[in-house]
Amino acid sequence: MTAILPLERHFARVGAPVGGVFTERNLFPWIQRRTRPLEDGPAAAARLLAERRPGKRVAYLHVPFCANHCLFCGFYRNRSAEDAMAEYASRLERDIAMDETAAGGPPIQAVYFGGGTPSALSADDLHRLVSAVRRHLPLAPDCEITIEGRVAGFGDDKIDACLEAGANRFSIGVQTFDTGLRQRMGRKASRQETISFMERLRDRDRAVVVCDLILGLPGQDMETWRNDVATCLSLGLDGVDLYCLTLHDKSPLALSIAKGSLPPAAGLERMAAMYGAGLEMLEDAGWRHLNQAHWASATRERNLYNQLVKAGADCLAFGAGAGGLVQGHRYVIQPDIDLYGKAVDSGTKPVTVVLPPPANRQARDLVMGGLEGGRLDIARLESLTAPGLAATLEPLLAQWAAAGLIRRRANAIILTTAGWFWHCNLVGSLFELIDLSMGGGTPPADLSSPQPQGIRHAG
Ligand SMILES: C[S@@+](CC[C@H](N)C(=O)[O-])C[C@H]1O[C@@H](n2cnc3c(N)ncnc32)[C@H](O)[C@@H]1O
Ligand code: SF4
């Protein structure tokens, strides 16, 4: 039997507009803020990585360089400089090559070069890194190999180098097609340059092409937003991410808004309306909704890396600041590029912090992976937690249904448009209730565990 759970504090507002169903977005429910890192973390990670266990695996390679700090972004670390990037690429190649444990074990289903800006690397470095991954890691025959990039500085020579080495997916950060807004956010290419770039990439027809758009930027009204989604639709891409703006404290964007040089970012109501409008436009155009923030137009787009990571697959991490996951243990590679380089030069993988898995990992993975895809099997959740959980949760689920967040289907809940928008809150609530139902008790104070790169923002 499950304990009596404090369901009311997770209730939504019935009858409120979508943006007012909860008072704030629970942005990163999966970050284990209250978990103490393992004392023997690096040794524990090494042991776990060396174990051979069946299961899906992916790999993340981090490239922490950018030409400039875009105002909204929380991922910026180092300004790109040719020498530093070339040196870093050599270290990253060595990091991949020296990882003997990665070579064993089940196939790797997806590889993601993320950043920062992988497309800031030279054509030669992109070629040798993709080649190194293919040479040293046991990739599945249909492995998805994604290169993340931006339009400025991603020349044809670099694209050719990626394709020749075997990359088969490009994820391009467009953010908005509006030239004025782009410039205000620190993006260098104009609308026309961005469109031409995406068309050239599409016309090669040798890889999946997806783009990221952000909604809720200061000065981005509904018309600009609809125009962004319509432009994306007109380009014949394979997929798109629609990300709600996260306004990071102390980001250049937050500071510009605070001093009045930019208008405020969208509030919850405008954000919800924009998300809903984007979702409707993509649905009307026949795109498939794969994850909370991701849609695909073509069958060749699988969005595999993101899907597997969100469902708790093991993720091998390479590069300064990369975040990995092994048997539910999150680990972080040394983020300082000099310290990272020194460790790799001496033949050591510089794992810094390792967090133990949450107590109810399987149930959490089911909630996270399920709701990312818009559906959660409550009977299966009960089988992974405590008998009686479904009945205990019933008043909450009925309340969420009344508030328009979910629909009920036999043993499952299905997200509505409002539910997709608030999906992180629903995940956070279920995480908390599962912990309590399994005797987790009141959680201790926030220990501010690190947020690895590689597992994305809230969507
Ligand atoms: C790690 S970033 C790398 C993108 C790439 N370097 C670029 O400049 O296009 C991946 C994506 O995160 C999204 N992103 C970054 N900051 C964000 C924020 N504050 N709120 C929402 N999405 C954000 C952007 O859509 C971006 O394309
Ligand atoms: S959006 Fe891309 S280029 Fe801009 S700061 Fe973030 S990671 Fe760097």
Side-chain angles (χ1 to χ4, degrees):
M1 276 299 288
T2 49
I4 296 172
L5 299 178
L7 300 181
E8 289 78 7
R9 65 189 231 94
H10 301 280
F11 278 6
R13 286 202 198 98
V14 177
V18 175
V21 167
F22 294 109
T23 44
E24 60 180 351
R25 297 180 79 219
N26 179 1
L27 288 178
F28 308 104
W30 51 85
I31 293 183
Q32 295 164 250
R33 291 196 173 82
R34 300 177 176 101
T35 307
R36 221 174 273 287
L38 292 178
E39 278 179 16
D40 66 340
R47 268 195 314 276
L48 290 166
L49 285 163
E51 282 177 18
R52 301 277 172 272
R53 284 176 187 252
K56 303 275 187 207
R57 294 198 301 171
V58 300
Y60 177 78
L61 297 97
H62 195 55
V63 181
F65 295 95
C66 302
N68 63 293
H69 189 171
C70 307
L71 264 60
F72 51 82
C73 189
F75 297 98
Y76 179 85
R77 291 293 172 272
N78 309 286
R79 186 171 287 271
S80 43
E82 264 175 43
D83 290 353
M85 288 194 296
E87 200 172 31
Y88 180 78
S90 303
R91 262 86 179 244
L92 188 50
E93 187 181 12
R94 175 138 196 230
D95 188 359
I96 301 163
M98 75 185 186
D99 195 335
E100 286 165 10
T101 59
I108 290 177
Q109 310 291 335
V111 174
Y112 198 95
F113 284 84
T117 320
S119 62
L121 297 175
S122 71
D124 283 351
D125 286 338
L126 284 165
H127 191 280
R128 72 187 168 126
L129 288 173
V130 176
S131 305
V133 159
R134 295 188 65 211
R135 194 163 52 248
H136 296 290
L137 303 183
L139 305 188
D142 63 345
C143 185
E144 174 189 274
I145 304 180
T146 304
I147 309 290
E148 190 171 70
R150 63 188 285 183
V151 176
F154 204 177
D156 285 351
D157 56 335
K158 296 187 183 183
I159 291 165
D160 286 337
C162 295
L163 289 169
E164 276 159 26
N168 52 28
R169 186 170 182 268
F170 292 104
S171 174
I172 307 298
V174 167
Q175 326 309 356
T176 172
F177 287 95
D178 185 276
T179 302
L181 187 52
R182 289 178 61 76
Q183 282 166 356
R184 288 196 290 283
M185 294 302 119
R187 310 296 289 186
K188 294 176 193 297
S190 67
R191 173 184 169 82
Q192 199 43 54
E193 286 163 341
T194 305
I195 289 175
S196 307
F197 174 89
M198 299 306 285
E199 285 173 343
R200 283 205 310 281
L201 207 50
R202 174 204 66 195
D203 288 346
R204 285 165 187 260
D205 206 15
R206 286 182 61 193
V208 170
V209 180
V210 307
C211 84
D212 295 342
L213 296 177
I214 299 184
L215 61 96
L217 293 164
Q220 184 188 35
D221 57 17
M222 187 58 110
E223 197 188 331
T224 318
W225 171 242
R226 283 185 173 281
N227 205 355
D228 280 340
V229 180
T231 305
C232 167
L233 283 171
S234 74
L235 286 172
L237 307 180
D238 299 297
V240 66
D241 280 288
L242 305 188
Y243 291 130
C244 297
L245 175 72
T246 301
L247 188 58
H248 299 285
D249 289 349
K250 302 191 186 122
S251 63
L253 186 61
L255 299 177
S256 300
I257 294 171
K259 69 173 194 252
S261 48
L262 283 173
L268 282 171
E269 281 200 22
R270 181 144 61 94
M271 194 109 94
M274 290 169 112
Y275 178 81
L279 180 146
E280 200 176 283
M281 288 172 76
L282 293 165
E283 217 171 72
D284 286 351
W287 286 42
R288 288 173 296 131
H289 197 168
L290 295 188
N291 299 138
Q292 193 273 339
H294 193 80
W295 285 259
S297 73
T299 47
R300 68 177 173 182
E301 165 56 344
R302 297 176 294 164
N303 199 30
L304 204 50
Y305 173 82
N306 279 309
Q307 308 235 40
L308 290 174
V309 160
K310 290 277 171 65
D314 276 6
C315 175
L316 309 180
F318 301 92
L325 193 62
V326 54
Q327 293 174 44
H329 295 68
R330 288 186 190 280
Y331 66 97
V332 183
I333 308 291
Q334 168 61 251
D336 180 291
I337 45 176
D338 293 327
L339 296 178
Y340 167 77
K342 282 193 183 115
V344 172
D345 287 349
S346 70
T348 311
K349 181 137 190 131
V351 173
T352 52
V353 176
V354 180
L355 299 179
N360 314 307
R361 178 187 155 209
Q362 280 189 314
R364 281 172 168 248
D365 287 350
L366 182 77
V367 168
M368 185 74 193
L371 289 184
E372 262 295 302
R375 180 181 186 280
L376 177 63
D377 186 328
I378 298 293
R380 183 151 159 63
L381 180 63
E382 177 167 309
S383 75
L384 295 175
T385 52
L389 182 74
T392 308
L393 289 179
E394 180 51 35
L396 177 63
L397 301 182
Q399 213 274 337
W400 283 354
L405 292 164
I406 57 170
R407 284 182 284 117
R408 317 294 294 273
R409 281 284 178 282
N411 288 326
I413 61 172
I414 313 277
L415 297 184
T416 61
T417 300
W420 282 114
F421 179 72
W422 288 106
H423 109 291
C424 281
N425 291 55
L426 306 190
V427 168
S429 292
L430 290 174
F431 277 5
E432 194 177 314
L433 293 168
I434 289 167
D435 288 351
L436 288 172
S437 76
M438 311 259 310
T442 312
D446 187 341
L447 294 169
S448 292
S449 300
Q451 183 192 358
Q453 304 280 346
I455 296 174
R456 295 289 172 218
H457 35 77

